[in-house]
Each structure stands twice: as C-alpha cells, then as structure tokens.
Amino acid sequence: MASLLKRLPTNVDGDFYVDESCIDCDACRQIAPSVFGRVGRQSAVRQQPRTEAELLEANKALLACPTASIGSVVKHPMAAALEAYPERIEGEVYRCGFTSESSFGAFSYLARTAKGNLLFDSPRFSGPIVRNIERLGGAGWMLLTHADDVADHQKFHRRFGSRRLLHRDDVRRATSMIEVQPEGREPRVVAPDTLMIPVPGHTAGHVVFLYRERFLFSGDHLAWDAPRGRLYAFRNACWYSWEEQTRSMESLLDYRFEWVLPGHGRPIHLPAARMREELEKCVDWMKRN
C-alpha cells in the first residue's frame, strides 16, 4: 500500500497522492490523465478528481499501479473500479489493467473469441482481474510478445490451463516450460484470427500479434507518442539491435491494421491508410536516428 509518510512533495494538496516508490511506468497517467501527470522522473497528482468520472479513473489507476504507489487519505468504495477491468477498447478487445512491477507496468490485453479467449502478455495475478477474466471465459491462449512482459504467466496458466507462446529467442530459464516456442523469422498463424509477426530489435525474440487484421498488439516494439502525435519506437530501451528493429518496423508496412495496442506508450486508433502513413514516418525517423 502507498505510504502517506512517503508522499511525494510534487503532489497537489488533497486526497489522492503518489508516494516515493513510483517507478514512472506511466500507467496512472494513461488511465487518469486529468488527475496524474509526470513531474520530474515520477508521476504525481496534478489535480484532484473533480467529478465522479475522474474519481473512478483515479481509483482505477490506484488498482492498476504495479508498485502500489498511489493512495488516498479518504477510503473510497472500490466496487466500480474493481469491475471496470478488463475495460473494453472496441468490440471484444479489452485492456486488462492490474499491471505488474516485473513488467515495469506494461499493459496486457484480452480478446474474446468463440474458439477461446486470447490473453496478450500477462497482467498481475490479482483476485479481482482473475475473477473478471474468468467471467469473460478465461484465457485459452497466452500470447507473449517478448521476455520482458511475461509477468505472472505461470499463475494464469495454472488457473486457466492457458496454452502459452513465446518466441524461442526470448525464452529464459523462468519461461523454459512454455508450451509453444516458435523459431525463425517467418510470420505464422498461431491462434484464432491471430498472426504472429517476428520483429527482432527491442529483444532478439520480440514478436507482435496482428488480430483480425485490425488490432496490432505491439509489446515494446511500437507505440504512440501522444505529445508529439506520432508512432515511435523506444530508442533508449532497445536491448538487442536498433538496426534490426528498424528493419522489423519496415516489414510491418506489408500489413494492414487500425489499432496499435502497446505494452508501454499510448494505444492509438487511426484509419488504416493514415496508420500506414504514420508508420512510414516512424521508419524514416528510425533510419535517421
């Protein structure tokens, strides 16, 4: 739980606060942007909730925080926030919330299908999100984009019997038991309506998943820079090869999609033609950097 004694001085006065354990993962700023902002190298409350909608967002951010760094002086009813996750993005695609510290607060996603639900990367294994996923039909597959965002995959596997996938080049000792470990650089269909596209760069075995030719679950490969209004890659968090990642990004121009749903960074929805234009700009920027 967040500690009032460790409340950051950068918070505005009032009920909600962020304490000094914040790791600057950006989750709260995505969920409740009217309440939380970045001050220095951590998040802080920049404005206390003014409406019921903002209060719900603040409570959702409190639940999603991977390090329990958000607190409130007043203890608010949490039922609505607990029921909010997974939260619908569009159709039967949801964002899970309940991020994990081991994934540095990366978001994971759920897609409901008639042939079994798909969990893209792993949320934190917490009772409320587990029960809510169970009510939605569980998770037949856990499709893991890369080694950084596997979080509590083993616990979800035990609970739901999920069949897990992680590219062989990203398998480590803690993930050696994963059932499906594809190799190579060829795209392949791996689950209902889901194409796995290898995109080495951020890590050697990073992949993205293209679902129904509309939703790109991009892990740490591609995200939206909201302040600058552009697609981008994490130049300072490329653990394997920037040159490989640039080539991988260029290969995505062969595919059509309208959503980019990243682990870190903002999700973005654009018409497919505009998305391609933005991706071309991103590739050009990567080549120049």
Side-chain angles (χ1 to χ4, degrees):
M1 295 178 63
S3 170
L4 189 57
L5 296 176
K6 298 179 180 180
R7 176 178 181 145
L8 289 169
T10 48
N11 293 287
V12 300
D13 291 337
D15 183 16
F16 281 86
Y17 61 91
V18 178
D19 78 9
E20 62 188 33
S21 65
C22 171
I23 59 173
D24 192 27
C25 72
D26 191 43
C28 67
R29 304 193 298 265
Q30 288 196 45
I31 295 165
S34 63
V35 176
F36 299 97
R38 192 172 194 240
V39 184
R41 300 187 67 178
Q42 291 176 301
S43 292
V45 175
R46 65 179 184 182
Q47 179 175 269
Q48 295 293 335
R50 299 161 299 176
T51 65
E52 287 300 315
E54 290 181 350
L55 177 59
L56 176 59
E57 287 184 347
N59 283 330
K60 286 166 61 180
L62 186 155
L63 291 175
C65 178
T67 49
S69 301
I70 300 171
S72 61
V73 178
V74 176
K75 299 307 175 187
H76 300 279
M78 298 297 289
L82 288 166
E83 289 300 313
Y85 293 119
E87 60 180 344
R88 190 185 305 274
I89 293 172
E90 182 182 296
E92 293 300 311
V93 174
Y94 303 78
R95 183 166 68 169
C96 292
F98 284 86
T99 64
S100 171
E101 184 175 8
S102 67
S103 296
F104 199 72
F107 282 100
S108 56
Y109 302 89
L110 179 77
R112 296 182 72 191
T113 85
K115 297 179 181 179
N117 293 346
L118 313 174
L119 194 56
F120 296 92
D121 289 327
S122 175
R124 176 175 12 119
F125 192 86
S126 179
I129 189 65
V130 172
R131 289 191 293 272
N132 291 348
I133 289 174
E134 193 164 41
R135 282 198 288 268
L136 291 173
W141 276 97
M142 287 194 75
L143 302 174
L144 303 168
T145 58
H146 66 297
D148 298 347
D149 291 355
V150 300
D152 290 330
H153 71 96
Q154 184 74 345
K155 294 179 180 179
F156 281 97
H157 168 71
R158 292 194 189 109
R159 179 62 174 262
F160 296 124
S162 308
R163 189 169 173 80
R164 295 163 291 180
L165 179 150
L166 179 66
H167 194 281
R168 177 69 61 84
D169 289 346
D170 262 25
V171 171
R172 308 288 184 265
R173 179 178 297 180
T175 50
S176 61
M177 75 296 290
I178 282 179
E179 293 78 17
V180 181
Q181 300 179 19
E183 298 181 80
R185 302 292 172 85
E186 292 301 313
R188 67 189 73 180
V189 175
V190 294
D193 299 316
T194 306
L195 181 70
M196 181 196 77
I197 307 168
V199 286
H202 174 73
T203 61
H206 201 300
V207 304
V208 297
F209 297 101
L210 180 58
Y211 177 65
R212 293 186 174 174
E213 298 186 330
R214 294 196 64 228
F215 302 90
L216 189 77
F217 297 95
S218 61
D220 287 354
H221 180 70
L222 177 66
W224 181 253
D225 182 346
R228 295 179 177 86
R230 65 183 178 97
L231 289 172
Y232 75 110
F234 299 98
R235 180 67 181 89
N236 295 326
C238 181
W239 313 132
Y240 176 59
S241 168
W242 184 247
E243 291 75 18
E244 286 268 14
Q245 189 164 354
T246 302
R247 286 192 288 270
S248 296
M249 196 71 75
E250 194 165 21
S251 73
L252 291 182
L253 291 168
D254 293 337
Y255 302 94
R256 179 190 185 279
F257 50 92
E258 300 170 13
W259 280 94
V260 171
L261 299 173
H264 296 287
R266 302 298 195 268
I268 184 65
H269 180 214
L270 297 171
R274 168 79 188 286
M275 187 69 81
R276 180 184 171 82
E277 291 175 5
E278 294 297 332
L279 186 59
E280 288 173 342
K281 293 177 186 176
C282 177
V283 170
D284 180 64
W285 171 81
M286 293 177 75
K287 288 179 177 179
R288 290 184 284 103
N289 287 272

